[in-house]
């Protein structure tokens, strides 16, 4: 009975021992060169993103929101009429806040004075015809937009550019590793680790600029798209071998 109990106990313990984890680290005995390589490929953008919206003020919150809805419907309709599909028009923010006058005028009680409510509705609009960006900006203003920010240019599909930048970065890393190997008396450089980070051709969005616009018969707003870049950064390690 006792031996049976011991054997059973050992049998029960076996699965527990089997799932124990063991970590083994084998140190690299050869010298290791660590390189950080960044390559950027530039191209003309094919997408422009513009922020736009409407602010309205009224004495009551409900009226401010109603007035804003009327103006926003007009703005969206103008964008659709200009050929922008609904899938490229996205609400980016709706805000309603009480407004106060904090200035102290002679003969008036000190402290903030309530002056009404301000409602705002902001859109993010993706424009896929770069040549028409200036005209579309003017269309927004003529349709009642009270602020415009951007444009921010980007590449809709940066995959080919990233592949090109990745290949260039890897080639540059290998060339540098081979140089260090030969310069220090080693025969070759063997890749032992590689890590990547990338940016897909989308520069930072510009800060919101709030301004009042007046539509007139002036020429279309000039817009220069320039070039945008897609970057790949590789962190690579090469072991130098005799």
């Amino acid at each position: 009975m006792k031996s049976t109990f011991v054997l059973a106990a050992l049998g029960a313990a076996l699965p527990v021992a089997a799932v124990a984890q063991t970590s083994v680290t084998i140190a690299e005995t050869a010298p290791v060169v660590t390189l950080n390589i960044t390559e950027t490929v530039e191209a003309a953008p094919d997408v422009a993103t513009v922020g736009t919206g409407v602010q309205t003020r009224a004495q009551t919150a409900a009226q401010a929101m109603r007035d804003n809805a009327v103006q926003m419907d007009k703005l969206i309709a103008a964008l659709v009429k200009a050929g922008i599909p609904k899938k490229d028009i996205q609400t980016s923010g709706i805000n309603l806040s009480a407004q106060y006058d904090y200035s102290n005028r002679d003969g008036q009680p000190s402290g903030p004075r309530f002056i009404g409510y301000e409602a705002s509705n902001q859109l993010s609009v993706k424009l896929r015809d770069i040549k028409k960006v200036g005209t579309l900006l003017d269309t927004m203003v003529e349709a009642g937009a009270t602020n415009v920010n951007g444009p921010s240019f980007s590449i809709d599909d940066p995959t080919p550019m990233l592949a090109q930048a990745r290949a260039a970065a890897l080639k540059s890393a290998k060339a540098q590793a081979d140089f260090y190997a030969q310069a220090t008396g080693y025969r070759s450089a063997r890749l032992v680790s590689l890590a990547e980070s990338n940016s897909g051709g989308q520069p930072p969005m510009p800060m919101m600029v709030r301004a009042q616009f007046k539509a007139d018969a002036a020429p279309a707003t000039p817009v220069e798209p320039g070039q945008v870049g897609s970057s790949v950064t590789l962190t690579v390690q090469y072991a130098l071998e005799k």
Side-chain angles (χ1 to χ4, degrees):
M1 292 291 294
K2 184 176 181 181
S3 60
T4 302
F5 173 79
V6 172
L7 290 173
L10 289 173
L14 284 174
V16 178
V19 299
Q21 295 184 353
T22 302
S23 177
V24 178
T25 301
I26 300 176
E28 184 65 60
T29 57
V32 174
V33 175
T34 301
L35 301 170
N36 290 295
I37 307 294
T38 299
E39 291 287 345
T40 301
V41 175
E42 293 187 343
D46 56 11
V47 172
T49 302
V50 176
T52 187
V54 173
Q55 282 83 32
T56 54
R57 285 188 177 184
Q59 285 299 303
T60 66
Q63 188 61 48
M65 290 295 287
R66 282 194 294 266
D67 292 346
N68 192 275
V70 171
Q71 290 296 105
M72 183 55 67
D73 284 343
K74 181 181 176 182
L75 175 57
I76 293 174
L79 294 174
V80 173
K81 184 178 179 181
I84 301 175
K86 278 290 191 71
K87 68 183 180 67
D88 288 336
I89 303 173
Q90 184 179 55
T91 298
S92 58
I94 297 175
N95 185 63
L96 175 67
S97 60
Q99 301 295 301
Y100 295 89
D101 182 1
Y102 292 91
S103 61
N104 294 324
R105 297 185 177 88
D106 294 338
Q108 293 186 357
S110 60
R113 179 175 62 90
F114 174 75
I115 58 176
Y117 289 90
E118 181 180 88
S120 67
N121 193 330
Q122 305 299 318
L123 296 175
S124 176
V125 183
K126 187 175 288 187
L127 312 176
R128 299 182 184 275
D129 190 342
I130 297 297
K131 295 180 180 178
K132 295 183 178 179
V133 171
T135 301
L136 288 169
L137 292 176
D138 295 335
T139 297
M140 295 175 184
V141 175
E142 292 168 1
T146 56
N147 61 67
V148 173
N149 70 290
S152 175
F153 294 103
S154 62
I155 300 292
D156 191 42
D157 181 13
T159 303
M161 295 173 64
L162 289 173
Q164 187 177 347
R166 185 177 297 115
L170 194 56
K171 182 178 180 181
S172 178
K174 184 64 169 67
Q176 290 190 40
D178 286 341
F179 169 81
Y180 285 119
Q182 295 171 11
T184 54
Y186 287 85
R187 178 176 55 83
S188 63
R190 174 174 54 86
L191 181 66
V192 294
S193 72
L194 185 151
E196 175 188 316
S197 62
N198 64 68
S199 62
Q202 297 193 11
M205 286 292 291
M207 296 294 291
M208 172 69 78
V209 178
R210 183 175 174 183
Q212 298 295 327
F213 295 90
K214 182 183 291 185
D216 52 28
T221 300
V223 175
E224 296 294 336
Q227 300 252 300
V228 296
S230 293
S231 298
V232 167
T233 297
L234 299 182
T235 299
V236 292
Q237 289 187 319
Y238 285 87
L240 306 185
E241 296 184 326
K242 291 288 189 181

